[in-house]
Amino acid sequence: MSEKKPLHSDDLTGCFVGRVWRPDLDGPSIVVAREGQLIDITSPLAPTMSELLALDDPAGYVAEADGTALGSLDEIAGNSIAWQRTPDRPYLIAPNDLQAIKAAGVTFVTSMLERVIEEQAGGKPERAASVRAEITQTIGTEIGQLKPGSPEAAELKALLISKGLWSQYLEVGIGPDAEVFTKSQVMSAVGYGADIGVHPISSWNNPEPEVVLAVSSSGEVVGATLGNDVNLRDVEGRSALLLGKAKDNNASCAIGPFIRLFDDAFTIDHVRTAELTLSVDGPDGYRLEGASSMSEISRDPLDLVSQTIGPHHDYPDGFVLFLGTLFAPVEDRDEEGQGFTHKMGDIVTVEAPGLGRLVNRVRRTDECDRWTFGTRRLMQNLSQRGLLS
């Protein structure tokens, strides 16, 4: 795992904030990566990541913040690997805390079509190839040039309805309204080095590498990180009403390793052009590589934010927003016509220049660590530490 450190060498000058579990305090601390060290900057002014991101100038505050060195980034990152962890030493956890965990779906044409294929195939992987060929022949490739909600998109919608091919996924993919859903519960996300969960009822699933925006309670985008929006293709393919069962399971949401705060060196424009890569290394020697280019997103990230928060929907603790993925693996892993699906023990790595690496191991949801530290325990812990006024 030494070659999969959370930050690339070129990233170290960025303003990276995260959270570390401190066994000596039986709770989390806010940290900044500074000169190869992780510095605990938790304070009464910003005892949670939610409150830090709500400050007028989060990056400016972090740059000036004093704190306590907890150890080197490499040492703490090494101890963050769940399957080799020493439990009485600090380790990285998901960088978000009180923020709602939201996700935008069907924001790339390739993944939009795969959702349609899942739906038409009824969640059965053996039917995917024939359905994919039929839909591609009917729709063609020019759909990628359409602007969602445009008159041209409306014309295509009318055509597809007339042919009996309209889908709820096409509705949110090229229609005026984006799909924004609750990916996971507050404080339930796992971080760098943790096990990620795949529900054992699923036999057709995959990772989804995504950029995740950090948004303050005022709706301002203040930073970005990486995420893996684990996807159960067969479950959601049976019915879109099973989205919650497909998406929100124990340890099924990974975020990290850090939130990179926006400053003069890193802005929303860097997010718009981010190039994500993904690798899956199986315990049997199998390897899958993929990519997701944010330049191909069909809706601008700030449009997705504006469709999430506004006069009709408030987030007093802020939120993090998965922006969707271009990645949708279709290559067969084992049997012909069955496509890709995870095996237990897969090591999934999501990375992007400027944002670092997010590394997780796949396990069954009922075998991952239980989620027991929620909002109530966080407030109790911070109060005991004298951090709440």
Side-chain angles (χ1 to χ4, degrees):
M1 294 295 297
S2 60
E3 75 282 4
K4 294 188 175 183
K5 296 178 180 179
L7 295 181
H8 305 82
S9 58
D10 294 341
D11 296 336
L12 296 176
T13 57
C15 187
F16 288 92
V17 292
R19 295 167 68 235
V20 162
W21 183 265
R22 291 189 55 175
D24 59 324
L25 299 175
D26 195 28
S29 283
I30 309 299
V31 296
V32 58
R34 186 180 293 162
E35 297 180 350
Q37 299 288 310
L38 288 184
I39 311 299
D40 185 342
I41 59 171
T42 314
S43 72
L45 180 63
T48 66
M49 186 64 72
S50 171
E51 290 185 82
L52 189 155
L53 299 184
L55 298 174
D56 290 338
D57 179 14
Y61 168 81
V62 170
E64 300 295 329
D66 293 326
T68 302
L70 298 182
S72 75
L73 170 59
D74 288 349
E75 290 173 346
I76 293 176
N79 195 51
S80 302
I81 307 302
W83 50 100
Q84 59 188 41
R85 177 178 300 156
T86 302
D88 60 352
R89 293 168 49 206
Y91 54 90
L92 292 168
I93 55 178
N96 54 299
D97 46 36
L98 298 178
Q99 298 93 334
I101 303 175
K102 309 295 288 187
V106 202
T107 54
F108 290 82
V109 171
T110 299
S111 57
M112 175 185 70
L113 294 179
E114 287 300 313
R115 298 293 86 76
V116 177
I117 290 162
E118 290 166 11
E119 179 185 47
Q120 296 290 325
K124 298 178 180 179
E126 64 272 14
R127 294 185 55 196
S130 61
V131 173
R132 185 177 296 109
E134 178 184 359
I135 289 177
T136 301
Q137 181 179 6
T138 303
I139 295 178
T141 58
E142 294 183 358
I143 191 173
Q145 308 302 315
L146 287 178
K147 180 180 179 181
S150 67
E152 294 78 12
E155 290 178 9
L156 177 60
K157 174 179 179 177
L159 173 63
L160 292 171
I161 289 175
S162 70
K163 292 181 176 292
L165 288 174
W166 187 245
S167 162
Q168 56 203 334
Y169 295 106
L170 288 167
E171 175 67 49
V172 295
I174 65 176
D177 300 314
E179 177 192 21
V180 180
F181 60 92
T182 297
K183 161 60 185 177
S184 192
Q185 304 309 302
V186 172
M187 292 190 64
S188 68
V190 300
Y192 172 90
D195 287 324
I196 52 173
V198 171
H199 200 297
I201 65 171
S202 174
S203 59
W204 188 23
N205 46 70
N206 62 261
E208 292 193 339
E210 305 188 25
V211 172
V212 181
L213 295 181
V215 186
S216 71
S217 55
S218 66
E220 181 182 1
V221 183
V222 296
T225 184
L226 297 171
N228 182 358
D229 177 14
V230 179
N231 183 38
L232 308 185
R233 302 191 67 177
D234 46 0
V235 175
E236 186 178 351
R238 283 161 47 203
S239 169
L241 297 181
L242 292 174
L243 180 65
K245 191 174 187 66
K247 291 292 188 181
D248 183 8
N249 297 296
N250 188 40
S252 68
C253 176
I255 300 176
F258 299 96
I259 294 171
R260 183 167 186 177
L261 297 177
F262 287 168
D263 54 20
D264 293 340
F266 189 77
T267 68
I268 190 65
D269 286 334
H270 291 86
V271 170
R272 292 185 172 110
T273 58
E275 298 286 336
L276 283 71
T277 57
L278 174 136
S279 64
V280 177
D281 293 286
D284 53 356
Y286 170 87
R287 183 173 175 84
L288 171 72
E289 295 182 338
S292 184
S293 176
M294 285 295 297
S295 63
E296 297 187 42
I297 196 169
S298 58
R299 300 180 191 269
D300 186 76
L302 294 186
D303 174 48
L304 293 170
V305 171
S306 69
Q307 293 206 42
T308 305
I309 188 172
H312 305 291
H313 208 153
D314 294 315
Y315 293 90
D317 296 306
F319 61 95
V320 292
L321 178 64
F322 282 74
L323 293 179
T325 184
L326 177 67
F327 178 73
V330 298
E331 301 87 355
D332 294 330
R333 181 168 187 175
D334 291 314
E335 298 180 33
E336 183 177 354
Q338 293 295 310
F340 170 87
T341 197
H342 271 307
K343 291 187 177 181
M344 299 304 101
D346 281 350
I347 304 297
V348 181
T349 303
V350 179
E351 58 185 300
L355 291 174
R357 293 186 182 92
L358 176 62
V359 182
N360 301 98
R361 180 181 66 172
V362 176
R363 297 184 71 193
R364 290 168 48 123
T365 50
D366 54 352
E367 294 177 346
C368 294
D369 289 342
R370 309 305 299 174
W371 172 41
T372 60
F373 194 91
T375 304
R376 176 172 56 85
R377 284 193 58 189
L378 174 63
M379 294 299 104
Q380 290 173 341
N381 180 267
L382 294 176
S383 177
Q384 292 166 0
R385 291 158 61 182
L387 291 167
L388 298 182
S389 56

